[in-house]
Structures are given as C-alpha cells and as structure tokens.
Amino acid sequence: MIKTVSFLKYLIPFTLLLFVAQHYGTVALSVNHDFFYATWGIYLFLFVSTLLIYVLLLFVDISFPDFTGFAFMGTTFVKMMGAVVFLIPLIQSDRTETNLDIATFFVPYFLFLLFETIFAVRLINNRAST
C-alpha cells in the first residue's frame, strides 16, 4: 500500500504535466485538425493502465519475487495489445489524415512506458539489494 501511494505521488503529477503540455501545446495549436480522441480519454487510458500494471507488479514482487521482470514484460505486452484495441476505431475510420491522431497517442504512450520501466527497474533492484 505504501509503495502504491509513493508511486501515485509521481504518477499523478507526471500525468497532469503531460496532459497540460499536450492539450495546450499540441491540440490547442492544431485548430484546423479535429482529433479523433479527446486528450483526456488518451490520458485516462494511459493512467489507469500504468497504475494497474504497477499494482500487479507489486503483487507479483511480494508473492513471486523471481518473476517480477517477467510480469513486467507480460503486462507491457498486454498494454500494447490494449493500445491497439484502443486505436481500432481510428484505424477503421474513413479519415485520410490519421498521422497526427496516432502521434498524439503514441508520444505519451512511450513516455508512460518509460515511466513504468523506471519504476519496474527500481522495484526489481530494491528486491535484489535486500
């Protein structure tokens, strides 16, 4: 529970900072482009999936500490498949210009992935050093 609260201390400001930067930096400046997904929807998906992954990693780290790395790889794969499912309506739409829509999803996706990776490595290293 303490590690989850500590993780949220970093995840919430990270999410809010990226959301504000993207919403007011990219989306607001692209007045001629009607985005397929709302910025809040993208960030809700990324926030919830990142939080669920970390909580699952904590559970695996407590129950089966030797498999934390494997759990991270598995949950990252599931998140990637979730991202594809999330983007299916955009991919199947009849829009001609989808590059900006895809970029507005995948830039924060990879930043969240980097964030998850840093915390997963910290979790694994803390277990290895104790």
Side-chain angles (χ1 to χ4, degrees):
M1 181 67 176
I2 294 171
K3 288 185 180 184
T4 305
V5 172
S6 176
F7 180 71
L8 281 172
K9 277 190 338 189
Y10 293 102
L11 181 61
I12 291 171
F14 178 77
T15 303
L16 291 174
L17 181 69
L18 283 179
F19 174 79
V20 169
Q22 181 171 347
H23 185 69
Y24 292 108
T26 306
V27 177
L29 295 176
S30 302
V31 291
N32 295 337
H33 186 80
D34 183 33
F35 287 93
F36 192 81
Y37 290 110
T39 308
W40 67 267
I42 293 170
Y43 279 88
L44 181 65
F45 170 77
L46 293 172
F47 178 84
V48 169
S49 62
T50 300
L51 183 60
L52 288 175
I53 285 173
Y54 192 72
V55 168
L56 184 67
L57 287 179
L58 286 176
F59 172 75
V60 170
D61 191 55
I62 291 168
S63 303
F64 312 101
D66 293 339
F67 296 106
T68 307
F70 295 114
F72 175 69
M73 290 190 309
T75 55
T76 301
F77 178 75
V78 170
K79 182 178 178 179
M80 190 185 322
M81 293 300 106
V84 170
V85 169
F86 184 80
L87 291 174
I88 283 177
L90 171 64
I91 295 167
Q92 291 180 342
S93 71
D94 58 349
R95 303 181 116 200
T96 56
E97 290 294 320
T98 59
N99 293 341
L100 190 57
D101 288 303
I102 291 173
T104 58
F105 178 80
F106 276 109
V107 168
Y109 175 85
F110 286 117
L111 291 173
F112 273 85
L113 180 61
L114 176 65
F115 185 84
E116 288 171 20
T117 304
I118 290 169
F119 276 88
V121 168
R122 283 184 187 174
L123 188 66
I124 292 168
N125 285 340
N126 285 342
R127 177 59 74 178
S129 66
T130 57

